[in-house]
Amino acid sequence: MEPITINNLTFAYPGQEPLFNHCDLNISSDWKLGLLGRNGRGKTTLLKILQKQLSFQGSIQTNLKFNYYPLVIREPNDYTMNVLMRSGYQGEQWQIERELNLMATPTELLWQPFSSLSGGE
């Protein structure tokens, strides 16, 4: 388990109201967590902050590395499984298949060209 501790996070784009205003958050890497929300609510901004792409006030303490999808795919006609393995994923094929099954998504998608998948897939 690796914690993500966010203290007093404040961030606003120039000329706009703050997306985050003195936010505190503790997250365990053991959790399966998704960010859901309407457009413009700060989901992508939070990920950019975690990746140190945006300046902010407050502190974030973690040793984790954050990836953001969709990645730039250099070989979109390659099999999806190969694309995933080159993306920095460090698990094994059975783990990907297990997650797909939990989402009621056919594992056959792994053996289709990545370019054939929809945005949601």
Side-chain angles (χ1 to χ4, degrees), residues 10-73:
T10 299
F11 176 84
Y13 287 105
Q16 295 184 8
E17 294 292 317
L19 282 169
F20 306 106
N21 195 7
H22 304 287
C23 294
D24 295 321
L25 186 61
N26 292 304
I27 302 170
S28 169
S29 64
D30 289 342
W31 299 351
K32 295 194 186 295
L33 181 66
L35 294 175
L36 302 173
R38 292 175 47 204
N39 292 347
R41 300 299 189 235
K43 301 175 300 292
T44 300
T45 298
L46 178 59
L47 290 173
K48 287 181 178 181
I49 289 171
L50 291 172
Q51 291 179 300
K52 301 177 182 170
Q53 294 179 5
L54 295 173
S55 298
F56 60 92
Q57 294 176 336
S59 68
I60 298 175
Q61 299 168 335
T62 187
N63 292 322
L64 295 173
K65 180 184 174 208
F66 297 93
N67 290 319
Y68 177 77
Y69 292 91
L71 297 172
V72 174
I73 307 302

